Amino acid sequence: MQILKDKILKDGKAIGTDILKVDSFLNHQIDVKLMTEIGEEFKKRLYKEGVNKILTVEASGITVAFAAAQAMGNLPVVFAKKAAPKTMITGAYTAEIISFTKGTQTIIRVAKEFLKPGDKVLIIDDFLASGEAVLGLLNIVRQSGAECLGIGAVIEKEYQGGSAKLRAMGYNVESLAIISSIEDGKINFK
Amino acid sequence: MQILKDKILKDGKAIGTDILKVDSFLNHQIDVKLMTEIGEEFKKRLYKEGVNKILTVEASGITVAFAAAQAMGNLPVVFAKKAAPKTMITGAYTAEIISFTKGTQTIIRVAKEFLKPGDKVLIIDDFLASGEAVLGLLNIVRQSGAECLGIGAVIEKEYQGGSAKLRAMGYNVESLAIISSIEDGKINFK
């Protein structure tokens, strides 16, 4: 998606060989017009007959999932909530997400009433790196008896292997901007 | 806003004399069409010449702020991030929010680059109860030298006093559904 790549080059901040900060339009301040266009792009790339729900995880995933849901005829969005490990959780499907980069461990949960057998969901998130967050969401989808028909990310760091892992599992993965490497603050797209 | 009140009566879960759960359309699962209409309603009630930014706090505020920003000609949204107390925070305005109901203490922060003198913001959130979250956001607005031109909430629990406090400070407050009391699971609107 060219306008997204242009935006990343213009306003993204690459640090070292791994970190890309997009706080100015995606993760802290939100470029509303761009997000609405991103929603339309996800519709083009991922929508198929039968999809009835968008699943994401708080907080930055919510905007892109919402914009995609608008484009797909106002589908409901469900966002997984985060909780500290060892929090007592009832009435919900849970999964553990380990962030290798941050060295943190998070439990995500989705109330059982919002994900059911027969649901056909798209998983949409802001970033796809090692794929841990999506794997956690897939774990929850599996527990619920629902089905995942596709996975979308705004920005993929291809070199962290998440998309390869997910495609090897048979999933359709669409990332709107794919970064093949970051070198000394320079962003290289695939 | 009648369709919102109808939705609250149909799908909200009132518990005891205080708790209203709206997980099925606002806080966990999102009714995308309703949120888009809520955005339009905020425009009607709050928009004025010069407003250039919407400010909210993660996570549930993001959707309503985004929908309002779309209705107002794609204004940028800034969402304050939450951090545990004692987290080291640099380059950001911070404020402390104490939740009396939950007995928790949270630090919210907004990076200095996203809120500046001259900015004219609307603060929009999902719930307005005792007003602590909005007071925290106002504190940050004040620190930045920006100005708040209005405050919007989807659901107000009037009996917790937040809106009265904010109006006494001179702010324009608009809540789309105002609850005057909850009794034995029954919701009474103003």
Side-chain angles (χ1 to χ4, degrees):
Chain A
M1 190 183 180
Q2 196 55 47
I3 52 165
L4 174 63
K5 290 183 193 172
D6 294 344
K7 186 78 176 173
I8 291 168
L9 291 177
K10 184 169 165 278
D11 294 330
K13 285 180 199 157
I15 301 165
T17 58
D18 185 43
I19 296 166
L20 173 63
K21 285 188 74 175
V22 287
D23 270 9
S24 68
F25 61 94
L26 183 58
N27 292 137
H28 189 4
Q29 181 168 253
I30 300 168
D31 182 325
V32 172
K33 183 163 179 285
L34 179 61
M35 290 308 122
T36 306
E37 289 163 347
I38 280 172
E40 294 286 346
E41 186 70 19
F42 276 130
K43 181 192 173 183
K44 271 188 228 160
R45 296 196 188 197
L46 282 174
Y47 185 74
K48 56 181 82 171
E49 193 70 33
V51 168
N52 71 333
K53 202 163 272 188
I54 311 286
L55 181 64
T56 189
V57 59
E58 66 180 5
S60 302
I62 296 176
T63 312
V64 283
F66 183 79
Q70 282 181 319
M72 295 177 196
N74 293 322
L75 294 180
V77 170
V78 174
F79 61 93
K81 299 195 172 194
K82 290 176 182 169
K86 295 178 189 160
T87 304
M88 169 79 158
I89 295 168
T90 56
Y93 302 111
T94 63
E96 191 180 78
I97 296 179
I98 294 164
S99 168
F100 296 106
T101 41
K102 293 184 201 159
T104 57
Q105 192 185 3
T106 310
I107 304 292
I108 58 169
R109 66 183 158 86
V110 171
K112 290 185 178 177
E113 60 192 297
F114 302 133
L115 212 49
K116 306 238 158 155
D119 275 337
K120 294 180 193 305
V121 309
L122 297 177
I123 291 174
I124 290 184
D125 206 356
D126 55 345
F127 268 93
L128 174 59
S130 65
E132 287 299 318
V134 173
L135 289 170
L137 290 169
L138 283 170
N139 182 341
I140 283 175
V141 169
R142 215 165 22 241
Q143 291 175 52
S144 73
E147 190 184 346
C148 173
L149 297 192
I151 295 162
V154 178
I155 300 173
E156 176 183 330
K157 291 170 169 174
E158 190 193 28
Y159 55 94
Q160 293 191 345
S163 64
K165 212 182 301 174
L166 294 167
R167 286 201 186 96
M169 293 165 73
Y171 291 105
N172 177 29
V173 181
E174 288 284 346
S175 305
L176 306 189
I178 301 175
I179 295 172
S180 53
S181 66
I182 299 176
E183 307 166 286
D184 295 333
K186 188 175 169 295
I187 298 159
N188 299 308
F189 291 109
K190 194 185 179 186
Chain B
M1 191 183 180
Q2 196 56 47
I3 53 165
L4 174 62
K5 290 184 193 171
D6 293 345
K7 187 76 173 174
I8 292 169
L9 291 177
K10 183 168 164 280
D11 293 331
K13 284 181 200 157
I15 302 165
T17 58
D18 185 44
I19 297 166
L20 173 63
K21 286 189 73 176
V22 288
D23 271 8
S24 68
F25 61 94
L26 183 58
N27 293 136
H28 188 5
Q29 180 168 254
I30 299 167
D31 182 325
V32 172
K33 183 162 179 285
L34 178 61
M35 290 308 121
T36 306
E37 290 164 345
I38 280 172
E40 293 287 345
E41 186 71 18
F42 277 129
K43 182 192 172 186
K44 271 189 229 162
R45 296 195 188 197
L46 282 173
Y47 184 74
K48 56 181 82 171
E49 194 71 31
V51 168
N52 72 334
K53 202 163 271 189
I54 311 285
L55 181 64
T56 190
V57 58
E58 65 180 7
S60 303
I62 296 175
T63 312
V64 282
F66 183 79
Q70 283 181 319
M72 295 177 197
N74 292 324
L75 294 181
V77 170
V78 174
F79 61 91
K81 299 195 173 194
K82 289 177 182 169
K86 294 176 190 162
T87 303
M88 170 77 158
I89 296 168
T90 56
Y93 303 109
T94 61
E96 190 180 79
I97 296 179
I98 294 165
S99 168
F100 296 107
T101 41
K102 292 184 201 159
T104 57
Q105 192 184 3
T106 309
I107 304 291
I108 59 169
R109 66 184 159 88
V110 171
K112 290 185 178 177
E113 61 191 297
F114 302 133
L115 212 50
K116 306 239 159 156
D119 275 337
K120 293 180 193 305
V121 309
L122 296 177
I123 291 175
I124 290 183
D125 206 357
D126 55 345
F127 268 94
L128 173 59
S130 66
E132 287 300 317
V134 173
L135 289 169
L137 291 169
L138 283 170
N139 182 342
I140 283 175
V141 169
R142 214 165 22 240
Q143 291 174 52
S144 74
E147 190 184 347
C148 174
L149 297 192
I151 295 161
V154 179
I155 300 172
E156 176 184 331
K157 291 169 169 176
E158 191 194 28
Y159 55 94
Q160 293 191 347
S163 64
K165 212 182 299 174
L166 295 166
R167 286 200 186 97
M169 293 166 72
Y171 291 106
N172 177 28
V173 181
E174 288 284 344
S175 305
L176 307 189
I178 302 176
I179 294 172
S180 53
S181 66
I182 299 176
E183 307 166 286
D184 296 334
K186 188 175 170 294
I187 298 159
N188 298 310
F189 291 109
K190 193 186 178 184

